[in-house]
Amino acid sequence: PFEFTLVFPGLFKIVADKTPYLTMEEIIRTIHIGPSRLGHPCFYHQKDIKLGNFLIKQGEQIMLNSVEEINGEMMVNCGVIRDHQNHSFTLPFSQEGEFYECEDEHIYTLKEIVEWKIPKNRTRTVKLTDFSIKWDSTNPFPKGFYGSLILKPVYEIQGVMKFRKDIVRILPSLDVEVKDITDCYDANWFLQLLSTEDLFEMTSKEFPIVAEVIEGPQGKQLPRNILQPGKTIVIHKKYQASRILASEIRSNFPKRHFLIPTSYKGKFKRRPREFPTAYDLEIAKSEKESLHVVATKAFHPPYEELSSVSVGDQFLVHHSQTTEVLCEGIKKVVNVLACEKILKKSYEAALLPLYMEGGFVEVIHDKKQYQVSELCTQFHLPFNVKVSVRDLSIEEDILAATPGLRLEEGITDSYLLISDVANPRECWEIPIGRLNMTVQLVSNLFREPESFLVRTLIEEISEEQYYMMRRYESSFLHPPPRPPKHPSVVETKSTLLTQTEQRTVDLPKSPKSHHI
């Protein structure tokens, strides 16, 4: 046997459990479901499940998102993805059948597996795939070992003493005799401590609650130290809220990463995007306007029917199509991007193969200022912008100081709505998965104000948190797979012009009008 700490740098893949779960309640009692994407396990059912007008197909992947009490019955909020669209539904705890764990292609650290992926009363088999960092200590495995392991976690007990607020940690190696005296004591004598995850696992019906902060989060995420130890707060509810994941545009590292609320009141101006291939142009084009780009790399096509590209050539991108090319006397079909090449006084039709590895920079003619919600509805993400007017409703707009931002994707995350008990109308959103705190339950009785003033924060996240979000990005957010670099009909390689044939690119000024 091997013994590892949670910081062991191994990376693992999970082996799906072959033993079925017979009810949804058995899954919920066994598997950890939480606010982060790590806490959204996936299962499939051996037969179709009919839910009113909705049919869950045999073998279809069902993602379990959260648990909630609806009309007095405990339900599981679930979702399936069809045609890149998410369809939500609920399943009762009493739902019977044979539910099997889905194969999981993600890579996990040991800490992630222990905290999220080890079921109660079942073993967890994993496969070692790699190491996240160089392993300085003696490698416990045989040389070249990348086999399977059965994980058995060793836990410590956390408890509270009578009338005391500090948390006592009891190590598993401590040899003590324990006697159950629950029936002899009033549980109210002991503090009811709740972590952020405990709060998330409460049903919506149990809110609002009044609580005292015992252990506050690190850093200064909120103004006026609303979560400092000893502060009494109101936790109004838990819910899902939208954010835009954005990264700083800069050539050097490290880059900063942000979660921007859709209620952000600052304004943005567009910045040019860069496209490494013609296929990226196809993904980025929109019906709102013609995509205008300038080439930064030369390309010489392998067929006469396709267009050559020189550094500095400008194109208006229209649509993808197929065209016939002559290859050694045989007609073949190639996927191309139909464009118009902008000449001095006219336009010329151009066909660029989708597999073309070139380089293009967007030419921006739009001087309008946009709010983040407008950008998300009118354009395809990812999208490059710069703050032109900072959000005056917040004391420090950390986005305004960035040289530029790449809006990468929209995400949905879990939040708590909290306020100071002295001012319950002014509320703040607290991210459940990224802000750790411990509170003591004071009261379940609280009269809600008639309306809330909800203040959202721009959240700067760490590099690790950023890659965690990107790693568990939903599959329907990914663009379609990039086509092969070369057409399958022929093995001819495209030829890039030599460096001497390339010239410096001068980004063009906006023409007076466009030809569509």
Side-chain angles (χ1 to χ4, degrees):
F2 306 104
E3 188 170 315
F4 309 116
T5 64
L6 291 185
V7 295
F8 177 72
L11 298 174
F12 303 89
K13 284 185 69 173
I14 289 174
V15 177
D17 192 343
K18 301 300 181 184
T19 305
Y21 293 82
L22 302 182
T23 64
M24 287 303 297
E25 183 173 11
E26 183 185 359
I27 295 177
I28 300 305
R29 302 296 181 212
T30 307
I31 300 292
H32 192 172
I33 295 179
S36 77
R37 303 185 191 190
L38 283 167
H40 296 165
C42 294
F43 291 81
Y44 67 90
H45 193 259
Q46 287 284 49
K47 298 179 181 179
D48 292 349
I49 301 177
K50 186 169 178 58
L51 302 171
N53 297 327
F54 190 74
L55 181 69
I56 305 171
K57 300 175 184 177
Q58 174 188 353
E60 191 168 28
Q61 182 170 296
I62 306 168
M63 179 179 287
L64 312 187
N65 295 317
S66 62
V67 175
E68 188 172 0
E69 183 179 349
I70 301 176
N71 298 326
E73 185 177 11
M74 296 305 296
M75 308 288 285
V76 184
N77 293 315
C78 307
V80 296
I81 295 175
R82 294 176 183 168
D83 299 324
H84 308 301
Q85 296 293 323
N86 185 53
H87 300 270
S88 299
F89 57 92
T90 58
L91 289 174
F93 272 29
S94 58
Q95 181 71 49
E96 296 181 346
E98 290 188 5
F99 294 92
Y100 289 87
E101 196 173 43
C102 292
E103 295 291 338
D104 190 342
E105 295 301 319
H106 290 125
I107 304 296
Y108 299 95
T109 64
L110 188 61
K111 186 174 186 292
E112 291 170 347
I113 293 174
V114 170
E115 291 180 349
W116 293 98
K117 298 297 180 181
I118 294 188
K120 299 173 185 175
N121 303 320
R122 294 194 183 200
T123 59
R124 171 58 78 199
T125 302
V126 298
K127 287 185 178 179
L128 178 68
T129 62
D130 203 350
F131 291 93
S132 59
I133 57 174
K134 185 178 179 181
W135 185 233
D136 295 328
S137 303
T138 304
N139 190 332
F141 300 116
K143 186 177 181 180
F145 174 81
Y146 285 96
S148 297
L149 299 166
I150 298 176
L151 300 182
K152 295 181 180 179
V154 179
Y155 298 98
E156 70 174 21
I157 298 173
Q158 295 185 8
V160 291
M161 300 180 69
K162 186 177 177 181
F163 301 130
R164 290 181 58 177
K165 294 184 178 181
D166 51 324
I167 298 174
V168 179
R169 290 174 169 82
I170 304 174
L171 299 178
S173 57
L174 188 63
D175 187 11
V176 294
E177 183 179 343
V178 178
K179 183 179 180 181
D180 185 356
I181 56 173
T182 305
D183 295 336
C184 306
Y185 283 83
D186 185 351
N188 292 326
W189 290 352
F190 296 88
L191 300 181
Q192 297 184 47
L193 298 183
L194 300 170
S195 67
T196 315
E197 291 179 7
D198 294 331
L199 292 168
F200 173 79
E201 291 173 358
M202 293 171 61
T203 62
S204 299
K205 192 176 180 180
E206 295 177 83
F207 294 98
I209 62 172
V210 179
E212 179 186 344
V213 179
I214 302 300
E215 290 183 351
Q218 299 295 319
K220 298 179 180 179
Q221 293 92 342
L222 295 177
R224 297 182 287 108
N225 296 321
I226 193 173
L227 293 181
Q228 66 183 4
K231 196 82 171 181
T232 303
I233 61 173
V234 180
I235 305 173
H236 297 271
K237 60 180 178 178
K238 66 171 186 177
Y239 60 98
Q240 302 283 306
S242 298
R243 292 292 187 271
I244 306 301
L245 180 61
S247 295
E248 192 176 30
I249 299 175
R250 59 189 307 165
S251 56
N252 58 327
F253 288 91
K255 297 180 180 179
R256 299 167 71 191
H257 307 286
F258 307 93
L259 287 176
I260 306 173
T262 52
S263 59
Y264 175 74
K265 295 181 176 60
K267 292 189 176 181
F268 299 92
K269 281 189 175 181
R270 295 169 58 179
R271 284 198 57 180
R273 291 171 286 177
E274 296 182 3
F275 307 101
T277 70
Y279 187 68
D280 292 293
L281 298 177
E282 159 65 14
I283 296 173
K285 66 180 177 59
S286 70
E287 297 179 359
K288 178 180 172 63
E289 62 182 6
S290 289
L291 179 59
H292 181 188
V293 296
V294 57
T296 59
K297 188 180 289 187
F299 170 79
H300 185 71
Y303 311 113
E304 292 183 358
E305 295 84 353
L306 304 181
S307 305
S308 62
V309 176
S310 298
V311 175
D313 285 349
Q314 299 178 51
F315 297 92
L316 293 177
V317 179
H318 290 315
H319 58 270
S320 60
Q321 63 183 53
T322 58
T323 190
E324 287 187 342
V325 298
L326 199 61
C327 176
E328 297 179 354
I330 302 174
K331 288 185 177 180
K332 303 291 183 180
V333 175
V334 176
N335 293 318
V336 296
L337 190 64
C339 306
E340 283 184 307
K341 184 177 179 180
I342 302 175
L343 306 177
K344 287 185 178 180
K345 295 184 179 181
S346 62
Y347 297 85
E348 178 184 282
L351 296 178
L352 306 179
L354 286 183
Y355 63 82
M356 168 187 168
E357 283 192 352
F360 301 91
V361 174
E362 184 179 20
V363 181
I364 301 293
H365 308 291
D366 184 2
K367 305 300 181 184
K368 182 181 175 181
Q369 298 183 107
Y370 293 89
Q371 292 190 327
V372 68
S373 57
E374 294 175 318
L375 290 170
C376 294
T377 55
Q378 297 182 28
F379 301 98
H380 296 299
L381 298 184
F383 205 73
N384 293 355
V385 295
K386 178 176 174 56
V387 175
S388 56
V389 178
R390 74 177 187 88
D391 188 343
L392 299 176
S393 67
I394 55 180
E395 185 174 341
E396 182 184 2
D397 186 348
I398 57 177
L399 299 182
T402 60
L405 289 169
R406 181 176 174 85
L407 307 182
E408 299 190 12
E409 63 164 313
I411 68 168
T412 301
D413 215 345
S414 301
Y415 290 84
L416 295 174
L417 190 66
I418 71 160
S419 69
D420 190 329
V421 72
N423 184 14
R425 188 173 175 273
E426 185 180 37
C427 299
W428 303 87
E429 287 183 341
I430 301 299
I432 293 175
R434 293 176 300 281
L435 194 149
N436 297 318
M437 66 175 180
T438 303
V439 300
Q440 172 198 352
L441 181 63
V442 175
S443 171
N444 289 97
L445 300 175
F446 183 78
R447 185 176 179 180
E448 288 278 41
E450 294 182 1
S451 61
F452 295 112
L453 176 62
V454 179
R455 299 192 181 277
T456 55
L457 297 175
I458 303 163
E459 190 181 351
E460 183 168 356
I461 59 176
S462 67
E463 194 83 1
E464 181 182 357
Q465 291 169 334
Y466 167 77
Y467 283 111
M468 180 71 69
M469 291 182 179
R470 298 297 291 172
R471 182 151 58 114
Y472 297 103
E473 179 185 0
S474 299
S475 59
F476 65 87
L477 293 174
H478 286 292
R482 184 165 289 169
K485 296 179 181 178
H486 310 293
S488 57
V489 297
V490 66
E491 294 298 323
T492 308
K493 292 187 176 180
S494 59
T495 306
L496 293 177
L497 297 182
T498 61
Q499 189 68 31
T500 56
E501 295 177 275
Q502 299 186 10
R503 54 190 171 86
T504 305
V505 179
D506 293 320
L507 292 180
K509 296 180 180 179
S510 173
K512 295 292 183 182
S513 62
H514 292 287
H515 175 68
I516 305 298

